[in-house]
Amino acid sequence: MNRPGTVTDVTDVTDVTDVTDVTDVTDVTDVTDVTDKDCDLVFGTTTRATFVALREAARRIRNGGRIMTISSGAAVMARAGSGVCAASKEASDTLVRVRAQERGPR
């Protein structure tokens, strides 16, 4: 099991049955005060991690396997101070929905 903030090298992993993606960077800041660096950190961690997990899982998972992602209510419930975090989670959720349509029957 990984510790928070770590990534596992999966380049040699094949014949996977289940993949789980749990990624989060929480920053409660009014959008006006979010720097480009902060935005890049949140999207670069949350959204990119989901993208990479979905892509690599699709390359390695066997037929009938499952890809599970854990998101956040922030993706569907707007709250002051959660704009960047919520947007990154919604982007991740969209990737999941599209990927399910692309590979669902598998």
Side-chain angles (χ1 to χ4, degrees):
M1 176 173 258
N2 285 338
R3 292 186 177 150
T6 63
V7 176
T8 301
D9 181 0
V10 295
T11 52
D12 294 328
V13 177
T14 59
D15 198 31
V16 176
T17 56
D18 297 313
V19 173
T20 304
D21 166 48
V22 181
T23 309
D24 193 20
V25 174
T26 303
D27 184 22
V28 179
T29 305
D30 186 291
V31 172
T32 306
D33 300 323
V34 175
T35 66
D36 290 348
K37 184 177 177 180
D38 294 338
C39 185
D40 289 346
L41 173 67
V42 174
F43 272 87
T45 303
T46 304
T47 308
R48 187 169 191 278
T50 299
F51 166 76
V52 170
L54 292 171
R55 181 190 66 203
E56 297 304 317
R59 291 176 176 172
R60 292 168 173 78
I61 202 161
R62 69 170 72 153
N63 288 339
R66 297 175 293 184
I67 302 171
M68 296 159 278
T69 63
I70 308 298
S71 185
S72 169
V76 294
M77 179 181 239
R79 279 193 268 184
S82 69
V84 173
C85 178
S88 72
K89 286 297 188 177
E90 182 54 37
S92 294
D93 288 359
T94 298
L95 285 168
V96 170
R97 287 190 299 273
V98 168
R99 201 68 191 140
Q101 290 179 358
E102 293 170 345
R103 297 284 177 140
R106 211 176 129 208

